[in-house]
Amino acid sequence: MDRMIRCITSDGSIMAAADSTYLVATAQQIHGTSPVATAALGRLLTGASLMGSMLKKEDASLTLKINGGGPLGTVIAIADSHGNCRGCVDNPAVELPLKPNGKLDVGTAVGANGILGVIRDFGEGSPYIGHVEIKSGEIAEDLTNYYAVSEQIPTVCALGVLLDKGDSRRLLAGGMLIQVLPGTDQAAIDRLERNVSGLKPVTTMLAAGMSIEEMCKTALEGFEMEILDEFQIGYVCNCSKERVLRAISTLKPEDILSLADEKGFAEAKCQYCGHTYQLSEQELKELAEKKASKIIRGK
């Protein structure tokens, strides 16, 4: 499991920082992602984890969905209020040349001609849905732009995924999210901007052995900082056989029965964790009968 902390300064600004290395490595193993796909999905997962931790309701969830017209297609990350998350990418095997500076070209892989969607579901009816145009496809800049445009909250988001060039299974990942809350004076904002402008990339700090506490202190130098909470985060999927059965029950009775193969079974695979659920012919028959009964009663 990875770790996240949330901090607050004496002037009311808040910050979250996370080491998401194992979370991203788990996603890489599940989806078999190429280096550039790992970087894109890893950044979005880390961003979702940080944003999810800002939710104020226990059972709330946050979904990030981005598609900029690039070869990766749609990239999705879903987080709960504890920062645990899961995600997927349409085309995980995409390979692209490195940028001239030797870095992975996430911006081209995601694309910059499309929409970033943010869904907050508090389990109280209709979820809050926000959309902004993608600015760069680099993920962190797009999340920063989302807060500025959609919520008018001055925000700095820094995300990073660093893969070993010799073995892409060896990686570092992490992120930081800093928000200036209403009432913060201009002097404090100016100091924070100076601090942020001098920050090294997240993965550079992690590679140098810095803890997430030290990363926060560096970003908030000159401020009185208090750690609000600390918790473990991980790649967590909430799929279950019951959810699969509920999804299949939305089909027509004849379509439910047609799912069985020649051996009398049907299989459903979770797009987020890869777990496969097997349904027997008898289970399918019972679902079809229940659906047919509901249709008759509806008439």
Side-chain angles (χ1 to χ4, degrees):
M1 298 289 284
D2 294 311
R3 233 171 29 98
M4 179 187 295
I5 61 173
R6 294 195 310 148
C7 311
I8 190 168
T9 65
S10 56
D11 68 334
S13 297
I14 60 174
M15 176 178 182
D19 181 340
S20 56
T21 297
Y22 293 107
L23 190 160
V24 174
T26 302
Q28 180 193 57
Q29 292 166 8
I30 289 172
H31 298 292
T33 46
S34 68
V36 72
T38 299
L41 179 58
R43 290 181 191 180
L44 198 69
L45 286 168
T46 304
S49 180
L50 291 166
M51 292 172 68
S53 74
M54 300 290 188
L55 299 172
K56 297 178 181 179
K57 193 172 185 296
E58 178 68 21
D59 298 324
S61 67
L62 176 134
T63 300
L64 299 180
K65 183 176 181 180
I66 189 168
N67 187 328
L72 287 179
T74 298
V75 189
I76 299 173
I78 305 171
D80 63 23
S81 58
H82 296 284
N84 297 309
C85 56
R86 62 193 185 277
C88 62
V89 54
D90 280 350
N91 303 307
V94 167
E95 298 275 4
L96 289 178
L98 297 176
K99 294 194 288 189
N101 61 6
K103 295 189 176 184
L104 295 166
D105 196 351
V106 173
T108 297
V110 173
N113 183 23
I115 296 294
L116 165 67
V118 179
I119 304 172
R120 289 184 177 86
D121 189 348
F122 296 97
E124 300 171 346
S126 299
Y128 168 81
I129 302 175
H131 295 96
V132 293
E133 292 185 1
I134 296 172
K135 194 169 184 179
S136 68
E138 294 285 347
I139 310 295
E141 187 177 0
D142 297 302
L143 294 180
T144 297
N145 181 58
Y146 163 78
Y147 276 110
V149 174
S150 185
E151 301 193 9
Q152 292 79 51
I153 300 176
T155 301
V156 174
C157 182
L159 306 169
V161 177
L162 178 65
L163 287 81
D164 187 289
K165 292 183 178 179
D167 182 359
S168 61
R169 293 172 298 178
R170 300 176 59 187
L171 60 87
L172 286 172
M176 297 190 298
L177 186 70
I178 309 171
Q179 293 188 330
V180 178
L181 300 184
T184 304
D185 63 53
Q186 190 59 46
I189 295 174
D190 292 342
R191 186 188 307 122
L192 185 58
E193 288 179 344
R194 289 194 297 271
N195 290 354
V196 169
S197 66
L199 276 180
K200 295 178 180 179
V202 171
T203 50
T204 299
M205 290 188 279
L206 289 172
M210 290 180 66
S211 67
I212 53 178
E213 288 87 354
E214 290 170 329
M215 290 163 54
C216 287
K217 289 177 181 178
T218 300
L220 301 176
E221 184 178 357
F223 294 89
E224 293 182 20
M225 185 189 85
E226 175 187 354
I227 296 178
L228 290 174
D229 44 33
E230 170 186 345
F231 37 89
Q232 292 184 322
I233 59 174
Y235 192 99
V236 177
C237 188
N238 64 351
C239 68
S240 66
K241 189 171 185 177
E242 289 70 26
R243 286 176 177 266
V244 172
L245 291 172
R246 285 201 299 270
I248 292 176
S249 67
T250 62
L251 301 175
K252 296 178 180 178
E254 59 269 27
D255 292 335
I256 295 175
L257 293 173
S258 70
L259 294 175
D261 58 20
E262 63 275 5
K263 295 181 180 179
F265 291 94
E267 287 189 346
K269 186 176 181 179
C270 176
Q271 64 178 322
Y272 298 111
C273 70
H275 187 87
T276 299
Y277 296 92
Q278 190 175 71
L279 306 176
S280 67
E281 189 171 23
Q282 181 61 32
E283 287 174 310
L284 294 173
K285 183 179 179 181
E286 290 175 359
L287 276 180
E289 289 175 349
K290 287 181 181 179
K291 186 59 180 287
S293 177
K294 287 182 179 180
I295 292 174
I296 292 173
R297 290 200 303 270
K299 291 181 179 178

